[in-house]
Amino acid sequence: MNKINAWAKVVFVGLMAAVLAACGGSEEKKAANVEQKADVIHWKMVTTWPKNAPGMGTGAEALAKNIKEMSNGRLDIKVYAAGELVPALEVFDAVSRGTAQMGHGTAYYWKGKIAAAQFFSTVPFGFTAQEFNAWIAYGGGLQLWEEIYAPFNLIPMVAGNAGVQMGGWFNKEINSLADFQGLKMRMPGLGGEVLKKVGASPINLPGSEVFNALQTGTIDATEWVGPYNDLAFGLYKAAKYYYYPGWHEPGSAVEVIFNKEAFEALPKDLQAIARAAVKQANLDMINEFTARNNAALQTLVNEHNVILKPFPRDLLEALKKASAETLEEVAAGDPESKKVYESFKKFLAPVSEWHDVSERAYINARADD
């Protein structure tokens, strides 16, 4: 009987130990969860886009969501549309000084601070989206981009592209170069500098102000993005003539800028996650625009009676000549611009040769009856 009691006592003690261990494990898990929540890093992302703008604004939101999911919630980013935390054209400064840790926009908005930044947005008669991505990744573009942003405490990355844009919305027909004389047109970046050469007056406005400016006659014409975005912005209500191609923005890159100190303070795995998510965002944006632009264009033409027209060939030739002159002038303005422009030219020549016998030749062959 004593042996049975002793054996029961051993079993009882073992069971109690197991229960206590289980409780302890549960407590440890709870503590770990609390610790994980306490370690969440909260960031702000400011953007140049109106809230939920198709492609761009939604792209910023998707990027923040992906980073949060990929990091298992460790990096939580709140997105602010243009004007919610800072005005659209103050994103660069806000991220530079650390008001926000991230910015989402396009580089030609900062030409007043860095003239060379314009080459990392889009160049008239320059790179397509595919060519721009190749220059950034394999042509030395990224190193130059990082170099010119470094003095501003910023790390840039390409986070999307709208592809070849439309030539813009006009309140009158454009039949010759003379029709550009005195034209007030919303067009930022290098394209705006080209407009000056052909007698037009470029106006730099953020997306949120474009519709009202066109509707009220503050401007006579505007470029924005392409059918997918332009339909959503209702620009067809303010002008009826819609011209192509977008000579001024053949591959409009979207950038993400990180505050350098904030980015480098992240653990290495979170840095890698952020970089990977930005690469994913870059691919997703061009895919979205490619998939949605034509359906939007058909809606504009067939349901809203938009008049779709190509620019006259002689006008495009004049704009191309003015673009070449503009690029040379910008390059001569400062050493940074000259260095970036030389890299741009060096990469554009051979990639254009390749695309003449690949992309262009194939598309022409596909179009032949």
Side-chain angles (χ1 to χ4, degrees), residues 167-200:
W169 296 87
F170 295 78
N171 59 15
K172 67 176 183 178
E173 283 193 71
I174 302 297
N175 296 312
S176 68
L177 189 60
D179 291 324
F180 270 83
Q181 299 300 309
L183 193 77
K184 294 178 294 182
M185 184 171 186
R186 185 267 181 191
M187 185 177 285
L190 292 165
E193 298 302 312
V194 175
L195 284 187
K196 292 178 185 177
K197 280 190 169 294
V198 297

Side-chain angles (χ1 to χ4, degrees), residues 313-324:
R313 183 155 188 83
D314 59 344
L315 172 59
L316 287 173
E317 289 173 356
L319 289 168
K320 186 175 181 180
K321 181 176 181 293
S323 295

